[in-house]
Amino acid sequence: MDLKIAKERILVIKDQISQEQAEEKAIAKKVDAFGTLNKLAGLFSKPDPNDFEIVYREHRYQPFWHISSQAHYVYDRSSNYQIEVKHSEVKKVTVEGKDYEVNNAHLHIPVMEHCAQDLSEEVLIDGISGSKNKSLKEYINKDITLVEGDKLNDVTGKEAVVVPPQTRVSGIIREMLAQMIKGIEADTIFEENIEICTIDLYYRPVFSFQFLWKSKNKKAILDIDAITGETQAGTRTFNEFAGQVLDRDFLFDIGADFTGMFIP
């Protein structure tokens, strides 16, 4: 097997809106963070805007993986071709000096297929949930900064929360290539060239605001996408990662013995 592995890259997507703009959006949409509670309260009276307070602000960078690969195979594969015999009086057929019996109006001729096959795969994986998400592709062509060495925290800024990926890249690549290899049915492989073309870890910025609904003593989170400006109710904050410094060895767990690690 000829295996080529791309250079790992960390790419940070730059904010398209400021924290002040994000906070304005969050304040305007604050009641949306409380979902069902807000709907129930709205049945009786409109919530008082002064009854809400921002109790936590977070500027964070969330990870996602962009991995792509391609493979080229040349191989032989034994098979059996079934050929219909249209005339009922034919009982036997000679092909290149070899006789084949006719069974149920068909010939069954063993052959050797000489094959060439190209495969490709591309995945976008949310670094927190580990789920595939094609919509993340919209972030790839945004304004980005390529991180050199272990300068990730310098690029994001020391005040930002950089969330480490919970999904490891070695597992993603192992699964991807195992699927590609399973797609080959061969007796003898003559060429097997596999290239991991892209190993990119993207960090996209999000502004998160936690609101306190004072009269009800309830808290809820609102996230603002710092690229698109879209607003949605959040599920959690990541303040436990505040101040954490991440290095490349932690983010990319592709070791020297990686080749033997993913071959099934």
Side-chain angles (χ1 to χ4, degrees), residues 5 8 169-170 249 252-261:
I5 301 177
E8 305 98 335
V169 67
S170 59
D249 290 340
F252 297 101
D253 57 337
I254 302 176
D257 59 345
F258 179 71
T259 302
M261 183 172 61

Side-chain angles (χ1 to χ4, degrees), residues 76-137:
D76 283 353
R77 175 177 62 205
S78 58
S79 186
N80 195 292
Y81 284 10
Q82 181 174 283
I83 303 172
E84 183 181 3
V85 179
K86 296 182 178 180
H87 303 291
S88 61
E89 68 272 19
V90 179
K91 306 302 180 185
K92 184 183 296 186
V93 174
T94 301
V95 180
E96 293 189 343
K98 187 170 183 178
D99 293 338
Y100 296 91
E101 299 287 340
V102 178
N103 294 313
N104 297 321
H106 286 84
L107 289 177
H108 297 271
I109 302 177
V111 299
M112 181 63 72
E113 297 175 329
H114 306 290
C115 308
Q117 188 171 358
D118 292 292
L119 301 172
S120 62
E121 183 72 19
E122 179 185 37
V123 294
L124 291 147
I125 305 288
D126 185 288
I128 297 173
S129 69
S131 60
K132 294 182 180 180
N133 187 349
K134 292 181 179 179
S135 67
L136 290 169
K137 196 162 189 174

Side-chain angles (χ1 to χ4, degrees), residues 151-163:
K151 302 295 184 181
L152 174 58
N153 295 86
D154 292 343
V155 173
T156 58
K158 299 188 183 301
E159 299 301 318
V161 175
V162 181
V163 183

Side-chain angles (χ1 to χ4, degrees), residues 39-56:
K39 291 178 181 178
L40 291 174
L43 294 174
F44 304 102
S45 63
K46 188 175 181 179
D48 180 359
N50 296 319
D51 199 17
F52 297 87
E53 177 186 357
I54 296 177
V55 294
Y56 177 73

